[in-house]
Amino acid sequence: MFKILLFAMAILCTASTAFALENDTRVFKIDPAIKAEKVHFHNRYGIDLTGDMYFPKDFDKSKKYAAIAVAGPFGAVKEQSSGLYAQEMAKMGYVAVAFDPSFTGESGGNVRYVADPSINTEDFSAAVDFLSVQDYVDPERIGIIGICGWGGMAISAAAMDTRIKATVSSTMYDMTRVTANGYFDADNNEEARYKNKKAMNEQRTKDYKEGKYALAGGVVDPLPEDAPQFVKDYYAYYKTPRGYHARSLNSNSGWNVTSALSFVNMPLLAYAGEIRSAVLIVHGEKAHSRYFSEDAFKKLKGDNKELMIIPGASHVDLYDNMEKIPFEKIKEFFGKYLK
């Protein structure tokens, strides 16, 4: 009897560890009932992307599931917020992949720590490519979630990729707008943009001469006492055990200084008004970035678009605060449009 008990315990231990990723470095609370596996796919620029694929409890590969691709925040990795969102989607019965965008995390791209509005929009479509050819995914029921800066990329992808049937942006940044105009459009003038571009192009020359790319720095550390509240919020996530990750740009040395150049010239949401599929935009009431979502929502047309403002929530609350992220609403939204 004792040997049988030991054998049964061994089986249980094996079963539970099978649900864990190898060298697991996720920073959020892991649900042992949700299996996660490392996956790889490529975009149209030939860059190999790495993701963590989450499967519903009692997953049956002979069935067809709705699927969701998740990315963000801007400067984060899949072991942070996007992994949390993907895990929650799997708990709702979806197959979900949280992926590292090009040039970041475990994904490819020889020049590291570069973002680009075109390439990163393409990254979402590459995830749709990958999901749509899986035998257990219904290609007619694929959605995406973009968090923070990838919220804007998600809306851009929805405008481009008709295979995306439903899109959620959470605590969205329009990275092209904030880069070109500054916060609250305070530098929305030719002279300010010229000075910004001049400085970055001078840095390009230095980078080429030195054979390496200068980094802009992640979240400021040490934190100044007079830092704005939203910077303190970023610090509380990226620089503490709550959200720190060794591969996260914001947790460490940040993006390349010149990475922002392409964002100055290329408005992400130019064709947002032509999106025919469903869009849910979620933002915090007290977020400094709230205006990005409200203005993006004004561009959208049709009765399948919705803006949800979360009372009392800050920008970073929607990264990992389970009491603030409206997962029930997201479940209802995807349940309606990916049915």
Side-chain angles (χ1 to χ4, degrees):
M1 176 64 74
F2 182 66
K3 288 182 178 180
I4 294 173
L5 180 60
L6 287 176
F7 179 70
M9 290 175 64
I11 291 175
L12 287 172
C13 290
T14 301
S16 62
T17 56
F19 288 113
L21 291 165
E22 187 177 355
N23 301 318
D24 197 344
T25 58
R26 290 175 289 177
V27 301
F28 52 89
K29 185 177 180 181
I30 297 166
D31 187 334
I34 300 300
K35 182 180 179 182
E37 293 181 352
K38 195 76 67 182
V39 295
H40 303 275
F41 52 97
H42 62 274
N43 66 20
R44 289 190 305 113
Y45 297 102
I47 299 169
D48 292 321
L49 304 178
T50 301
D52 292 338
M53 183 82 96
Y54 292 79
F55 298 92
K57 185 180 178 181
D58 301 324
F59 171 73
D60 182 347
K61 65 180 181 181
S62 68
K63 295 182 179 179
K64 292 283 190 180
Y65 292 84
I68 298 169
V70 192
F74 195 78
V77 289
K78 63 188 178 305
E79 291 82 5
Q80 295 172 310
S81 299
S82 60
L84 171 63
Y85 274 70
Q87 179 176 265
E88 289 301 307
M89 295 302 102
K91 288 166 68 174
M92 296 175 193
Y94 298 96
V95 170
V97 60
F99 65 92
D100 288 330
S102 296
F103 310 112
T104 67
E106 292 184 306
S107 287
N110 290 332
V111 177
R112 305 306 295 164
Y113 316 132
V114 177
D116 179 274
S118 178
I119 293 175
N120 296 137
T121 294
E122 159 64 20
D123 287 342
F124 265 118
S125 286
V128 175
D129 290 341
F130 171 72
L131 291 171
S132 66
V133 300
Q134 304 307 308
D135 291 339
Y136 48 81
V137 169
D138 181 348
E140 297 300 318
R141 294 190 295 149
I142 295 177
I144 61 174
I145 299 174
I147 307 161
C148 184
W150 259 262
M153 310 293 184
I155 293 175
S156 177
M160 178 185 70
D161 194 331
T162 57
R163 300 170 302 171
I164 297 170
K165 298 303 189 292
T167 300
V168 172
S169 76
S170 180
T171 198
M172 187 197 87
Y173 257 58
D174 179 345
M175 292 306 303
T176 53
R177 179 178 176 182
V178 74
T179 304
N181 301 347
Y183 280 109
F184 302 102
D185 300 322
D187 296 322
N188 184 18
N189 61 81
E190 181 182 340
E191 187 60 27
R193 272 188 288 275
Y194 180 81
K195 288 180 179 179
N196 189 20
K197 289 184 286 187
K198 187 173 186 292
M200 284 190 282
N201 281 295
E202 288 174 352
Q203 185 64 53
R204 283 188 68 143
T205 303
K206 292 179 183 178
D207 289 347
Y208 197 87
K209 184 181 295 183
E210 296 175 5
K212 61 182 180 180
Y213 294 90
L215 298 176
V219 174
V220 61
D221 188 15
L223 186 68
E225 290 185 9
D226 61 348
Q229 183 58 49
F230 75 91
V231 175
K232 294 178 180 178
D233 292 342
Y234 283 138
Y235 186 96
Y237 182 77
Y238 286 107
K239 290 291 190 177
T240 71
R242 169 185 167 192
Y244 176 84
H245 195 279
R247 287 191 292 270
S248 168
L249 285 71
N250 290 341
S251 292
N252 297 283
S253 298
W255 298 95
N256 292 348
V257 172
T258 59
S259 185
L261 266 170
S262 59
F263 286 86
V264 178
N265 253 20
M266 192 180 300
L268 266 177
L269 306 183
Y271 296 103
E274 297 183 5
I275 298 173
R276 298 185 183 184
S277 57
V279 179
L280 170 64
I281 296 179
V282 180
H283 222 106
E285 176 193 19
K286 296 185 176 181
H288 68 286
S289 50
R290 174 177 165 180
Y291 71 103
F292 291 126
S293 283
E294 291 177 330
D295 287 355
F297 182 70
K298 293 173 186 176
K299 295 176 181 288
L300 303 179
K301 299 174 183 177
D303 58 6
N304 57 353
K305 314 297 192 294
E306 187 171 352
L307 172 66
M308 184 178 191
I309 302 298
I310 308 302
S314 69
H315 180 87
V316 173
D317 276 335
L318 299 189
Y319 285 8
D320 67 340
N321 188 332
M322 298 299 290
E323 296 182 359
K324 297 290 187 180
I325 303 172
F327 280 120
E328 282 303 312
K329 175 61 180 181
I330 294 172
K331 179 181 181 180
E332 174 190 323
F333 172 78
F334 281 130
K336 179 177 181 179
Y337 294 107
L338 296 183
K339 60 184 178 181

